[in-house]
Amino acid sequence: HVLSPSGPSVRSKEPLGKCEDRPLRCLMLISDTGGGHRASANALKEAMEVLRPDGKVEFSITDIWTEYGVWPSTRMARQYQLVARLCGHPQLGFFARMLWRLTFFVSPLAEVPWSEYSHLINGRKFRKCLREYDPDIVVSLHPLTQHLPLRVLRRMERQRVLSRPRVPFCTVVTDLATAHPAWFHSRVDATFVPSDRLFNHARRRGIPAERLRLHGLPTRKAFWRGERDAKHRKASEAETKALNLK
């Protein structure tokens, strides 16, 4: 119901102000470090379009680091993809896998310095992204699109430069079993996790249980059970008609 005109945020009931005369805007933040993040965003977009078929919700899927970051942050997705390809290389695969493991396990130790550095370098550009889109809700689908966007967003709210006085910020975790700690931020309004293991991980990271939703992974419309059943019924009906004609 965060996309309902009657509820501007998960916690607040402030009036919509000047944003009530336009469609609700949903900003989905990703990084194209792998195809799964964009695929999950598209799956959520399909689901929300079914829930709100009136066309009164606009969606933007944005690779914020590539589109709005400052070099070398703009190269982050490509560098990740390069390392992922090298993991299967017969000679360089061992070193690529070690580099990936080192990054995954050591980066949480540098969480605070990285947060301050990224805010110093990219904060103004991220502010531009949020100002241009002026969202009614922000949905993060990548571990690196929580901390800095949320920090910039809350500061913009205090400065009253957005149409909505309080913009709900949600995280949809797209990893199933093992998730980087950066996925979990205690100040997001809602965090959707696909497994009990990650639910417990999120609790250890300080997220209150009332802000956690155990909801599975986003899937494309073609894989929804109801859609599959409808297709099977249509196929069976077509086969029955063909047999009757014979």
Side-chain angles (χ1 to χ4, degrees):
H1 23 265
V2 290
L3 289 178
S4 169
S6 62
S9 86
V10 212
R11 295 186 202 164
S12 66
K13 296 295 180 184
E14 296 105 333
L16 294 181
K18 59 183 177 182
C19 62
E20 63 184 358
D21 56 350
R22 61 165 169 81
L24 295 171
R25 294 176 178 174
C26 177
L27 176 62
M28 298 186 183
L29 300 179
I30 65 165
S31 176
D32 281 313
T33 51
H37 302 287
R38 187 172 291 274
S40 295
N42 281 317
L44 281 180
K45 178 177 177 289
E46 285 184 329
M48 284 192 251
E49 286 173 340
V50 170
L51 292 172
R52 292 296 301 266
D54 53 13
K56 294 183 178 179
V57 182
E58 295 178 352
F59 301 93
S60 175
I61 300 174
T62 302
D63 182 343
I64 191 168
W65 289 98
T66 301
E67 297 175 36
Y68 287 91
V70 175
W71 189 90
S73 301
T74 53
R75 305 286 298 176
M76 182 174 61
R78 290 187 181 182
Q79 291 167 352
Y80 183 95
Q81 292 167 6
L82 175 62
V83 172
R85 287 196 299 271
L86 289 176
C87 284
H89 193 278
Q91 282 80 39
L92 302 176
F94 171 78
F95 299 101
R97 289 190 293 272
M98 289 300 295
L99 177 61
W100 187 90
R101 291 190 183 109
L102 182 67
T103 303
F104 185 90
F105 291 109
V106 174
S107 56
L109 303 178
E111 187 173 345
V112 174
W114 161 256
S115 176
E116 294 304 318
Y117 166 78
S118 60
H119 181 263
L120 177 66
I121 301 301
N122 297 285
R124 186 174 298 178
K125 290 286 190 176
F126 280 31
R127 179 186 176 93
K128 179 184 177 184
C129 171
L130 293 166
R131 184 67 182 267
E132 286 179 353
Y133 196 69
D134 195 13
D136 296 292
I137 180 172
V138 178
V139 180
S140 168
L141 295 106
H142 193 278
L144 296 182
T145 55
Q146 268 81 243
H147 297 254
L148 181 54
L150 181 60
R151 179 175 177 178
V152 172
L153 177 67
R154 295 299 178 238
R155 183 174 183 180
M156 293 176 72
E157 289 173 344
R158 291 193 295 271
Q159 295 171 341
R160 300 181 180 275
V161 296
L162 297 171
S163 297
R164 188 178 288 268
R166 180 66 164 76
V167 179
F169 193 108
C170 304
T171 298
V172 178
V173 180
T174 59
D175 290 333
L176 185 59
T178 303
H180 192 278
W183 272 115
F184 308 106
H185 194 297
S186 61
R187 294 184 180 178
V188 301
D189 295 291
T191 300
F192 295 81
V193 293
S195 64
D196 292 324
R197 181 174 181 176
L198 294 191
F199 185 98
N200 294 330
H201 191 171
R203 292 287 292 116
R204 289 194 296 271
R205 286 282 294 178
I207 300 180
E210 60 270 18
R211 292 195 215 159
L212 285 170
R213 306 289 185 274
L214 185 59
H215 212 275
L217 291 170
T219 56
R220 284 169 33 215
K221 188 177 179 181
F223 294 97
W224 296 355
R225 182 175 179 180
E227 294 291 319
R228 291 202 313 270
D229 291 346
K231 289 180 180 178
H232 290 160
R233 283 196 300 272
K234 288 181 180 179
S236 299
E237 289 171 3
E239 289 175 4
T240 303
K241 285 183 180 180
L243 290 173
N244 289 336
L245 290 174
K246 292 179 181 179

